[in-house]
Amino acid sequence: MKIINGSTYEGMCLEAAKIIKSQMSVKPTSVLGLATGSTPIGVYKALIEMNNNKEIDFSKTTTVNLDEYVGLSGENDQSYRYFMNTNLFDHVNIDKTKTFVPNGLASDIDGECKRYDKLIEDLGGVDVQILGIGLNGHIGFNEPNAYFDKGTHQVSLTASTIEANARFFETIDEVPKTAVSMGIKTIMCAKKIILLANGTAKSEIIYETCFGNITPNVPASVLQLHPDVTVIVDNDACAAIKNNIN
Ligand code: F6R
């Protein structure tokens, strides 16, 4: 694992955007694995700026998102499809028919999960996967004690994740209880992974992820086994690493 301290949130996001830019200049047809949540918003802002400045071209790019809530349509402003449209896709020269998010309204969710894994396989796999991390170490919606060998599947969100995500909804009762998520196996198949974390609250879990035991209790710890992971943090999220290493 390579660890980069971008100092500030903006610095962290710029480091991630630069890696994506260099990936796309080498391979314009790259498949980008994308995440939602508050962490990557600044990366998407930086990519939009690079696109406006003609430094990066999305016209041949395909994207696959990590996850989607079950029961929300893409028009729902809390769906991850809506998030991606408003935070990235609407502002860059990407062909939206090549942007994929699991269908949370599929009548057969298990079938949708299989379709999604097949789609990723048919695309030739993910070139760069962006990840945020939950306070409990989840990646995608793979909560503690997730199986490391699962592909895309339906997950039940833990109480702590429902609570953390309630900030985006009017009431906590509106937070969906299940989601479709790429599994750990799907994520680990990405050729390159960028894990992002900012803020003091993520400091301990980032230390555990990078230097703790590899255990399903901390799903992100499995990333220690991946050959090409870059962890990018800000000063706050880097604090526990600094304290424990110096
Ligand atoms: C979102 C996702 C989640 C988030 C995580 C952190 O697509 O997969 O794993 O990355 O919950 O969320 P934020 O960035 O809001 O702290």
Side-chain angles (χ1 to χ4, degrees):
M1 274 180 164
K2 182 173 167 189
I3 302 173
I4 298 176
N5 180 1
S7 298
T8 61
Y9 174 71
E10 289 73 22
M12 171 189 91
C13 292
L14 192 58
E15 291 294 336
K18 283 197 294 198
I19 295 175
I20 294 168
K21 179 180 156 184
S22 85
Q23 164 71 30
M24 284 175 52
S25 63
V26 173
K27 184 180 175 192
T29 56
S30 288
V31 177
L32 304 180
L34 302 177
T36 59
S38 35
T39 311
I41 288 176
V43 180
Y44 301 146
K45 279 198 179 129
L47 292 175
I48 292 167
E49 199 179 324
M50 288 172 176
N51 188 238
N52 285 338
N53 295 339
K54 311 245 179 293
E55 293 170 43
I56 192 168
D57 175 15
F58 287 94
S59 62
K60 297 191 178 76
T61 309
T62 301
T63 66
V64 284
N65 261 79
L66 276 170
D67 42 19
E68 179 60 285
Y69 288 120
V70 168
L72 298 192
S73 86
E75 279 79 52
N76 186 307
D77 62 5
Q78 294 308 328
S79 72
Y80 287 172
R81 158 57 71 183
Y82 188 94
F83 175 102
M84 289 311 305
N85 285 345
T86 52
N87 284 290
L88 183 64
F89 302 150
D90 286 344
H91 310 287
V92 294
N93 68 330
I94 200 160
D95 173 357
K96 270 211 199 142
T97 63
K98 292 198 291 189
T99 65
F100 299 99
V101 180
N103 178 8
L105 286 186
S107 52
D108 170 13
I109 291 291
D110 286 343
E112 171 61 10
C113 295
K114 287 195 185 89
R115 184 195 70 84
Y116 206 68
D117 276 340
K118 172 88 172 46
L119 167 80
I120 295 170
E121 197 186 314
D122 290 348
L123 288 168
V126 171
D127 290 298
V128 187
Q129 175 68 55
I130 302 223
L131 296 175
I133 184 168
L135 294 172
N136 59 9
H138 73 224
I139 46 175
F141 272 127
N142 297 285
E143 303 281 13
N145 296 318
Y147 288 92
F148 283 169
D149 60 352
K150 277 209 178 170
T152 301
H153 62 295
Q154 183 169 190
V155 290
S156 300
L157 311 194
T158 62
S160 76
T161 298
I162 290 172
E163 206 175 300
N165 289 4
R167 68 193 193 276
F168 301 113
F169 291 81
E170 300 249 308
T171 68
I172 194 163
D173 294 333
E174 287 175 30
V175 185
K177 309 291 177 287
T178 56
V180 172
S181 176
M182 283 187 198
I184 298 283
K185 184 171 119 189
T186 330
I187 293 170
M188 289 295 277
C189 284
K191 289 158 204 155
K192 179 190 282 288
I193 296 178
I194 300 171
L195 175 68
L196 297 163
N198 64 293
T200 310
K202 300 271 174 85
S203 166
E204 286 299 330
I205 197 66
I206 279 293
Y207 177 76
E208 283 297 311
T209 295
C210 299
F211 299 103
N213 292 333
I214 299 168
T215 161
N217 287 332
V218 180
S221 64
V222 74
L223 298 174
Q224 291 178 38
L225 299 174
H226 190 283
D228 189 354
V229 175
T230 304
V231 180
I232 314 182
V233 287
D234 70 352
N235 281 329
D236 291 336
C238 198
I241 293 181
K242 278 193 180 153
N243 290 342
N244 283 285
I245 281 182
N246 289 340

